[in-house]
């Protein structure tokens, strides 16, 4: 089964896009509500948005399946990353709209969740670990960049409108302090997009688990408000709208290589 695609680059940069996948196995889709079958909580088009990174020499890891199958950016024991706040789980049963993912009585049980972890979650993370180690062995360091996006207004998860660019470094723990400072400097040097640093999105499991600056692995998550590159209702990619967003992402990625 095709679980992910991995492009091996030549630079110290590894871009992981764990919520880009859209595919639902037929037997699973049949158990879902009509609205969930549209996989509305996909990080739509982030692979297209980050396509330029390959030309920068970046490696890129992209899953095939939807986060509704299993969320690759959650811990395998499903411990909450944001205690006390609304969130979704390892095998989500609620959409970001708070609507159900599954038809009545069709939610996965513990055995099914464990099976999905084995089939989908572990291969992705094994590939992630192997590529981090390959890059670190070659360059002496690895920058793991977690590319994400989400609708700009999701009342179930946060109040108001999300800032355009949301940089997460686990409160400064997942990457080198100078790199974090330089990335903040890039965001502060422009006036086209609002931003937040370690706000509502501090970094998910991948950023927190693999970021280890003392061992040469800097991990950073960028959560984008989707209104800056697509139509949030139809999920259509809008190239003209996306161009300046893409340019600022490129500046941030270049900073990770220059720092």
């Amino acid at each position: 089964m095709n679980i992910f695609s991995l492009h091996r680059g030549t630079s110290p940069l590894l871009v992981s896009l764990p919520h880009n996948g859209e595919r639902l196995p037929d037997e699973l889709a049949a158990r879902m509500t009509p609205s969930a079958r549209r996989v509305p909580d996909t990080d739509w088009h982030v692979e297209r948005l980050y396509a330029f990174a390959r030309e920068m020499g970046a490696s890129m890891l992209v899953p095939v399946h939807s986060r509704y199958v299993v969320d690759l950016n959650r811990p395998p024991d499903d411990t909450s990353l944001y205690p006390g706040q609304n969130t979704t789980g390892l095998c989500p049963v609620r959409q970001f709209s708070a609507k159900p993912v599954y038809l009545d009585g069709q939610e996965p049980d513990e055995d099914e969740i464990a099976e999905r972890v084995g089939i989908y979650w572990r291969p992705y993370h094994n590939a992630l670990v192997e590529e981090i180690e390959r890059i670190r062995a070659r360059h002496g360091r690895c920058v793991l960049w977690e590319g994400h996006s989400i609708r700009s207004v999701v009342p179930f998860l946060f109040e108001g409108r999300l800032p355009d660019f949301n940089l997460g470094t686990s409160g400064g723990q997942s990457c080198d302090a100078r790199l974090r400072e330089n990335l903040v400097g890039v965001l502060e040097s422009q006036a086209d997009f609002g931003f937040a640093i370690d706000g509502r999105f501090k970094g998910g499991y991948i950023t927190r688990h693999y970021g280890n600056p003392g061992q040469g692995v800097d991990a950073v998550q960028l959560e984008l408000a989707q209104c800056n590159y697509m139509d949030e209702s139809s999920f259509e990619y809008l190239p003209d709208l996306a161009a300046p967003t893409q340019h600022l992402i490129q500046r941030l990625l270049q900073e990770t290589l220059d720092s």
Side-chain angles (χ1 to χ4, degrees):
M1 185 188 301
N2 186 17
I3 303 298
F4 58 82
S5 65
L6 172 61
H7 168 78
R8 289 191 172 94
T10 57
S11 80
L13 178 61
L14 168 57
V15 177
S16 165
L17 306 175
H19 295 152
N20 184 86
E22 301 173 36
R23 185 178 301 174
L24 294 172
D26 291 343
E27 65 278 10
L28 188 56
R31 295 161 51 193
M32 292 184 173
T33 63
S35 62
R37 288 177 205 144
R38 296 183 69 224
V39 291
D41 301 329
T42 301
D43 289 13
W44 294 103
H45 310 297
V46 287
E47 185 176 15
R48 181 173 180 178
L49 203 59
Y50 279 88
F52 69 86
R54 293 182 177 91
E55 300 174 8
M56 298 174 67
S59 296
M60 190 172 293
L61 184 63
V62 187
V64 169
H65 294 84
S66 167
R67 70 192 301 160
Y68 287 169
V69 178
V70 68
D71 192 327
L72 301 169
N73 201 30
R74 296 290 186 274
D77 63 0
D78 206 14
T79 300
S80 177
L81 296 171
Y82 295 95
Q85 301 183 51
N86 286 339
T87 185
T88 55
L90 180 62
C91 291
V93 296
R94 285 189 293 180
Q95 303 173 46
F96 288 169
S97 64
K99 294 179 181 178
V101 171
Y102 293 92
L103 301 169
D104 287 345
Q106 295 297 315
E107 297 87 352
D109 60 20
E110 291 185 5
D111 289 341
E112 182 180 353
I113 292 172
E115 182 179 30
R116 290 191 207 176
V117 168
I119 294 173
Y120 303 99
W121 192 96
R122 295 204 183 281
Y124 189 88
H125 283 263
N126 288 343
L128 196 58
V129 170
E130 290 173 6
E131 188 62 9
I132 289 171
E133 290 307 311
R134 185 192 71 83
I135 291 171
R136 189 165 60 166
R138 179 172 181 177
H139 298 281
R141 70 180 186 116
C142 175
V143 178
L144 173 59
W145 188 273
E146 277 285 294
H148 294 262
S149 74
I150 192 170
R151 291 192 303 278
S152 56
V153 178
V154 185
F156 178 64
L157 297 181
F158 50 81
E159 295 182 2
R161 184 192 182 282
L162 191 69
D164 300 315
F165 279 63
N166 299 268
L167 205 68
T169 66
S170 190
Q173 300 301 306
S174 67
C175 76
D176 178 78
R178 185 167 67 93
L179 172 58
R180 184 179 187 271
E181 181 180 345
N182 291 346
L183 292 171
V184 173
V186 170
L187 293 172
E188 289 178 338
S189 71
Q190 55 80 46
D192 295 326
F193 299 97
F195 62 90
I197 312 299
D198 288 312
R200 173 62 178 85
F201 295 94
K202 296 179 172 61
Y205 174 78
I206 292 175
T207 303
R208 302 184 198 194
H209 183 73
Y210 296 108
N212 190 343
Q215 296 297 316
V217 181
D218 293 310
V220 178
Q221 176 176 301
L222 178 62
E223 187 83 52
L224 293 169
Q226 291 176 342
C227 61
N228 292 294
Y229 69 90
M230 60 175 275
D231 183 293
E232 295 185 330
S233 298
S234 67
F235 310 144
E236 179 185 2
Y237 187 83
L238 303 174
D240 291 342
L241 182 64
T245 304
Q246 200 170 36
H247 177 68
L248 184 52
I249 296 171
Q250 187 168 9
R251 287 183 58 197
L252 290 166
L253 293 191
Q254 187 60 54
E255 190 60 49
T256 70
L257 297 175
D258 295 342
S259 294

